[in-house]
Amino acid sequence: MKHTPYDGSSKPFTIGLTQLDPDRWIEPDDQLQHYLDQKAQLLAQSRDAVFVADNGTQEAQEELLQTLSDYLPPRYPGLYRQDGDAMMVGGRRVALSGDDPLVIAGSLIQDDLAIMQRGDRGWRLGAAYIAFPSSWSLAEKFGRTMDEIHAPVPGFEHGTRNAELIARMFDNLPPGRFVERFNWAVNVDGSLHLPKSKSESHSATAIDLTEESAFIRIERQTLRKLPQTGAIVFTIRIYSDPLALLRQRDDAATLALSFVEQLRALDLPQAAYKGLVSKRDALISALLSIAG
C-alpha cells in the first residue's frame, strides 16, 4: 500500500496540490509489466475507447514522448534502456516511432496520460491515453474544458472558488514546477479498467461490502507544464489495494479511524459522486473492525 491519502493528508473534494520532487514524477514498481500488458490488450481491443487526440496536439505529444524518453533511463536504469529507435522496458521492446506519440509514451509507464491545452474558452482536454479510468468515460470528457469536466464534481462547478483557483494555477504553473494530488474510492471490483459512465445512476440499495471483498482505489495525479508547447500533462496512476491489506499494517488502527472520519464527513452529494451511498455503512463497519 504505497499511498494512503485517506490518512488525512489529502482531503476529499479539495484541490489538494502539493509540491513534487521531479525525481518522483513517475514511480514504476514491480507491477510494471502487468500494467503494460493490460494497456496493450485494451489498445488492441478498443483503441477508440482508450485513446483520443486532436490534430493540433501532435507537437505536445511529441514533446511529452521525448521528455519521458530522456527522463526514464537515467532515473530508472534497471528498468529502462534506450536501444536505437526503441526503448527497452524490462524485457519489452517499445518502438519510439510508428504510432501516435502519446500512445507510445503511455506504453512506457503504468500511468495514464492526458494533455491539456489553453484555448479561447480555457484549458481543454486535447489528447488522452486513458486505459484505467475510475468510473468515467473518456468520450464524455474529451474536448471539454476543465470547467466542463469538473461540472459534476461537488464544489468544483463553473464559478466556484475551486474552479477559479484551478484555472489560475494552470495559467501560472511554471515548467520547472511539478505538483501532485490524490483521489480515493472504494469498490467491490479491484480491476484497473473501470470505465463506467458517471451518467449511470447509482443504486440506493445497500451493498454487502466486506473487508474481504472491498478494494481501495487510489488515484495519484501529477501535473507539469511542458516548456516548449506550454501544454499541461496529467499523469494518472491507479493503485488498487485490497482493504484486507490494511489490517496487516502497524498503523492500521490510525489509518482506519482516519478513513472513517473522512467517510462520515462526506455530505450526500459528495458520497453519491464517489458511489458510496450504498457502501458507506458497511465500509465504516469494516474499518471499525480493523481499528479494533
Side-chain angles (χ1 to χ4, degrees):
M1 305 183 81
K2 183 174 179 62
H3 299 290
T4 57
Y6 41 87
D7 60 5
S9 61
S10 183
K11 298 293 186 182
F13 299 97
T14 62
I15 296 174
L17 289 169
T18 59
Q19 190 86 7
L20 175 65
D21 183 341
D23 281 346
R24 291 186 50 242
W25 179 38
I26 306 297
E27 295 185 334
D29 57 28
D30 59 3
Q31 293 293 303
L32 175 61
Q33 294 303 324
H34 171 65
Y35 279 64
L36 296 186
D37 287 343
Q38 288 210 29
K39 281 190 170 188
Q41 183 178 3
L42 288 164
L43 195 67
Q45 291 176 346
S46 52
R47 181 184 177 97
D48 290 346
V50 298
F51 170 71
V52 285
D54 279 343
N55 291 332
T57 62
Q58 188 71 16
E59 189 178 351
Q61 290 186 54
E62 291 172 354
E63 185 179 7
L64 172 56
L65 176 57
Q66 187 61 56
T67 300
L68 275 171
S69 299
D70 292 341
Y71 172 87
L72 292 169
R75 179 67 184 89
Y76 299 104
L79 287 176
Y80 295 93
R81 177 174 59 84
Q82 190 97 23
D83 182 23
D85 61 351
M87 182 77 72
M88 298 304 298
V89 186
R92 180 191 302 259
R93 189 175 191 273
V94 178
L96 296 176
S97 60
D99 203 340
D100 290 276
L102 186 59
V103 170
I104 299 171
S107 301
L108 299 174
I109 57 177
Q110 287 158 278
D111 309 57
D112 284 335
L113 295 168
I115 293 176
M116 307 290 298
Q117 292 182 314
R118 190 74 162 85
D120 294 340
R121 297 191 301 124
W123 290 91
R124 174 180 170 277
L125 180 59
Y129 179 14
I130 307 290
F132 309 130
S134 298
S135 298
W136 56 274
S137 162
L138 179 55
E140 289 179 348
K141 296 190 178 185
F142 177 62
R144 296 192 175 189
T145 64
M146 284 301 294
D147 274 1
E148 292 167 339
I149 289 171
H150 284 152
V153 184
F156 284 77
E157 304 91 337
H158 176 71
T160 61
R161 184 171 182 272
N162 282 331
E164 293 172 358
L165 287 174
I166 289 172
R168 194 178 312 146
M169 185 275 294
F170 274 33
D171 286 340
N172 297 329
L173 183 67
R177 186 182 180 210
F178 294 58
V179 293
E180 72 176 347
R181 68 184 301 271
F182 290 90
N183 287 325
W184 56 260
V186 179
N187 298 318
V188 292
D189 186 337
S191 302
L192 293 171
H193 180 67
L194 289 177
K196 185 177 71 171
S197 168
K198 278 291 183 188
S199 64
E200 295 178 28
S201 61
H202 297 288
S203 171
T205 305
I207 292 177
D208 186 20
L209 181 147
T210 66
E211 179 181 331
E212 291 72 26
S213 67
F215 293 83
I216 308 171
R217 186 178 179 91
I218 305 298
E219 185 175 283
R220 175 187 183 251
Q221 301 177 2
T222 77
L223 291 79
R224 64 172 298 181
K225 186 173 285 184
L226 298 175
Q228 295 175 20
T229 60
I232 287 181
V233 173
F234 273 79
T235 70
I236 308 167
R237 171 66 193 280
I238 300 299
Y239 298 83
S240 187
D241 299 330
L243 179 61
L245 283 181
L246 193 58
R247 189 178 287 275
Q248 301 175 20
R249 294 177 59 107
D250 293 339
D251 58 352
T254 301
L255 280 177
L257 291 174
S258 175
F259 208 159
V260 167
E261 182 180 349
Q262 291 202 22
L263 288 165
R264 286 176 170 163
L266 296 175
D267 61 27
L268 187 57
Q270 292 172 340
Y273 181 82
K274 281 187 170 289
L276 286 169
V277 172
S278 57
K279 305 172 189 171
R280 180 157 48 177
D281 289 347
L283 178 57
I284 288 175
S285 178
L287 288 166
L288 290 176
S289 174
I290 291 172

